[in-house]
Amino acid sequence: MGYHNRRTFDMSDGDHYDGMRNARKESDQDYIEEGKNSKSVKNVDDWLPVTGSRNAKWWYAAFHNVTAMVGAGVLSLPAAMVYLGWGPGVAVMVISWIITLYTLWQMVEMHEMVPGKRFDRYHELGQQAFGEKLGLWIVIPQQLIVEVGVDIVYMVTGGKSLNNFYKLVCKDCKHIRQSYWILIFGSVHFFLAQLPNFNSIAGVSLAAAVMSLSYSTIAWGASAHHGRGPGVSYGYPHQTTADTIFNVFNALGQVAFAYAGHNVVLEIQATIPSTPQKPSKVPMWRGVVVAYIIVALCYFPVAFVGYWAFGNDTTFDNVLGKLQHPTWLIAAANLMVVIHVIGSYQIYAMPVFDMLETVLVKKLHFPPGLILRIIVRSLYVALTCFIGITLPFFGDLLGFFGGFAFAPTTFFLPCCMWLAVYKPKPFSLSWMANWISIILGVLLMLVSSIGGLRSIIRDASKYQFYQ
């Protein structure tokens, strides 16, 4: 009996150890699988456009931000001044510059606010501040409206500028439809879109940044050379009260469009290496300061000198359209606009590529590779080109829809995130600065959307498809 009992105990004891060995094997196998999955995710992250390369320098951040910020919208700032006037116009331009620099600083600071973690994308920061689902739904739609919308506008802008260049250098040549110029401009992006990540488009971005400073200088320099004519007036154009109010709203929307670079700032910072001893925010902030100095050198002279030279006669989308002499210089400026919007298109497209490729590879389990990249990016370029050709008045539509996205993502969404994450003491300096920015940003969002809707209603009868 004792032997039998002892034998039974020994057998059950052996079974117990066999079970432990099997459990350990399963645990080890799970660990191996988890390691493989982790390695797979890391490999995918190394392939994605935003996280694929982290060896950028601070000056990369500088010219990426200049390319993203100083869009062709700078040339329409004198027209915005017409409806704002000297006092309010100067105030709006300067206050917008200060607020957007402040919110950009907030985003740079929040990029690594959790030790050991980087928020490489705008929506990741939103998820940290507002929750996984809510943060995604707050940020992604607005970011896509801005990035895809800007790319479509730049398709049209690039085509128009090519057309202007053609007319200036060959005045007796045969007329070519604007749609064909947009198609020519778009064809360049089928090749450039295949560059894998932000650092690989550094050369394109640098050329674009140099061009933006160059054509802005030509715009205000040529305006200054033109001088103030004898009949120049700075009074509000003679219109009904309702028209004046809506035009003021639309002018504020033009200013909001001019400061739209925040949508790619975290993605740009993600390309900079970071360690606990040397966090990425130090070189990134240095690049941002340099970029914002260049922004000021572009925006303020173009807006103020252009308005000074032409007064309320500057009701046009592009100050270069008012300047015809010297012909070679204005033609060169239009070509510079083309080169700049080529770079800007790629800067705004890269986060969209990242979103699309992330969903396809991580959610739908498509294998990452060159074929997937060529198909996805070529389809995106084709779509933006098609919409630009079909709706050459898309800029007016963006004034309405963009009002709900440009102002939030630039002026007050970073402040909301800051309040949600850091919870500053009520009525402290940080608390008041954030709430002032939020209030002004919300007002700007509302009035720019109203102004954009009014423009659509007013000009709907003039819209032409496939110009």
Side-chain angles (χ1 to χ4, degrees), residues 7-71:
R7 180 64 180 164
T8 303
F9 175 77
D10 288 343
M11 288 178 66
S12 63
D13 191 49
D15 292 340
H16 173 71
Y17 282 111
D18 286 342
M20 288 182 65
R21 280 195 299 270
N22 291 335
R24 188 179 294 112
K25 285 181 180 178
E26 291 176 4
S27 177
D28 290 344
Q29 188 65 31
D30 290 342
Y31 180 79
I32 292 170
E33 289 296 324
E34 184 180 346
K36 287 181 179 177
N37 291 336
S38 176
K39 185 177 180 180
S40 175
V41 170
K42 187 177 186 305
N43 289 339
V44 171
D45 286 338
D46 290 341
W47 179 78
L48 290 172
V50 170
T51 52
S53 177
R54 294 191 188 269
N55 57 3
K57 308 297 183 184
W58 71 264
W59 52 87
Y60 284 42
F63 55 72
H64 280 328
N65 277 288
V66 170
T67 301
M69 185 74 70
V70 186

Side-chain angles (χ1 to χ4, degrees), residues 388-441:
I389 291 172
T390 306
L391 308 173
F393 49 86
F394 188 81
D396 285 350
L397 303 182
L398 193 65
F400 170 63
F401 294 107
F404 294 106
F406 287 118
T409 54
T410 301
F411 283 84
F412 67 85
L413 196 54
C415 297
C416 294
M417 294 178 179
W418 188 274
L419 291 173
V421 171
Y422 290 108
K423 298 177 174 59
K425 186 178 179 181
F427 303 104
S428 64
L429 181 61
S430 174
W431 187 88
M432 289 190 293
N434 282 291
W435 275 109
I436 289 171
S437 299
I438 290 170
I439 292 169
L440 293 176

Side-chain angles (χ1 to χ4, degrees), residues 44 47-48 123 136 140 352-366 372 376:
V44 171
W47 179 78
L48 290 172
H123 69 82
L136 204 65
I140 289 289
V352 181
F353 296 155
D354 184 82
M355 291 183 201
L356 294 173
E357 290 166 9
T358 297
V359 171
L360 289 171
V361 173
K362 291 188 175 181
K363 299 294 184 183
L364 302 179
H365 306 295
F366 280 81
L372 180 65
V376 169

Side-chain angles (χ1 to χ4, degrees), residues 329-373:
L329 188 62
I330 306 306
N334 276 282
L335 198 58
M336 290 173 184
V337 172
V338 173
I339 296 172
H340 174 237
V341 293
I342 286 174
S344 291
Y345 181 98
Q346 292 301 317
I347 290 290
Y348 279 96
M350 201 60 76
V352 181
F353 296 155
D354 184 82
M355 291 183 201
L356 294 173
E357 290 166 9
T358 297
V359 171
L360 289 171
V361 173
K362 291 188 175 181
K363 299 294 184 183
L364 302 179
H365 306 295
F366 280 81
L370 182 61
I371 301 299
L372 180 65
R373 177 173 288 155

Side-chain angles (χ1 to χ4, degrees), residues 88-385:
V90 172
V92 167
M93 289 292 299
V94 174
I95 291 171
S96 296
W97 188 87
I98 293 170
I99 290 177
T100 54
L101 179 60
Y102 171 64
T103 53
L104 198 50
W105 169 80
Q106 288 180 313
M107 296 185 72
V108 171
E109 287 290 316
M110 289 188 286
H111 178 76
E112 294 173 296
M113 60 184 171
V114 177
K117 185 175 182 180
R118 300 183 70 173
F119 299 103
D120 295 320
R121 300 162 179 88
Y122 205 150
H123 69 82
E124 292 177 2
L125 188 58
Q127 289 174 296
Q128 176 68 20
F130 306 124
E132 286 293 320
K133 290 186 178 180
L134 182 60
L136 204 65
W137 282 104
I138 288 175
V139 176
I140 289 289
Q142 297 185 74
Q143 193 176 14
L144 283 176
I145 287 173
V146 172
E147 291 168 349
V148 178
V150 167
D151 277 345
I152 295 170
V153 169
Y154 282 162
M155 277 287 182
V156 179
T157 303
K160 282 184 176 180
S161 297
L162 278 174
N163 195 10
N164 291 339
F165 175 78
Y166 173 73
K167 289 178 180 178
L168 286 166
V169 300
C170 191
K171 294 182 179 180
D172 298 325
C173 293
K174 183 181 178 181
H175 171 72
I176 298 177
R177 292 175 59 183
Q178 182 177 294
S179 297
Y180 296 146
W181 290 113
I182 296 174
L183 192 60
I184 292 169
F185 178 81
S187 64
V188 176
H189 295 286
F190 283 101
F191 300 98
L192 291 179
Q194 307 312 320
L195 295 172
N197 51 55
F198 268 108
N199 286 342
S200 64
I201 61 171
V204 178
S205 181
L206 174 59
V210 172
M211 291 300 103
S212 65
L213 182 59
S214 300
Y215 71 69
S216 297
T217 303
I218 290 174
W220 70 259
S223 297
H225 182 265
H226 176 277
R228 181 173 180 253
V232 169
S233 171
Y234 303 116
Y236 288 102
H238 295 293
Q239 296 174 327
T240 64
T241 303
D243 283 338
T244 300
I245 292 172
F246 284 121
N247 284 326
V248 169
F249 289 174
N250 206 38
L252 291 170
Q254 287 177 293
V255 174
F257 178 77
Y259 290 96
H262 291 50
N263 289 273
V264 294
V265 67
L266 289 178
E267 287 81 354
I268 292 171
Q269 189 170 352
T271 65
I272 298 176
S274 183
T275 64
Q277 295 76 26
K278 295 181 179 179
S280 63
K281 67 180 182 180
V282 176
M284 181 64 183
W285 179 241
R286 188 182 305 161
V288 166
V289 170
V290 172
Y292 253 70
I293 291 172
I294 296 173
V295 167
L297 292 175
C298 292
Y299 282 19
F300 297 153
V302 170
F304 303 152
V305 176
Y307 182 52
W308 167 80
F310 301 107
N312 60 15
D313 191 32
T314 54
T315 53
F316 42 80
D317 293 335
N318 188 330
V319 71
L320 295 177
K322 194 70 178 177
L323 297 164
Q324 298 296 328
H325 301 287
T327 303
W328 66 269
L329 188 62
I330 306 306
N334 276 282
L335 198 58
M336 290 173 184
V337 172
V338 173
I339 296 172
H340 174 237
V341 293
I342 286 174
S344 291
Y345 181 98
Q346 292 301 317
I347 290 290
Y348 279 96
M350 201 60 76
V352 181
F353 296 155
D354 184 82
M355 291 183 201
L356 294 173
E357 290 166 9
T358 297
V359 171
L360 289 171
V361 173
K362 291 188 175 181
K363 299 294 184 183
L364 302 179
H365 306 295
F366 280 81
L370 182 61
I371 301 299
L372 180 65
R373 177 173 288 155
I374 290 174
I375 293 172
V376 169
R377 298 187 181 192
S378 297
L379 286 174
Y380 176 79
V381 172
L383 177 65
T384 54
C385 187

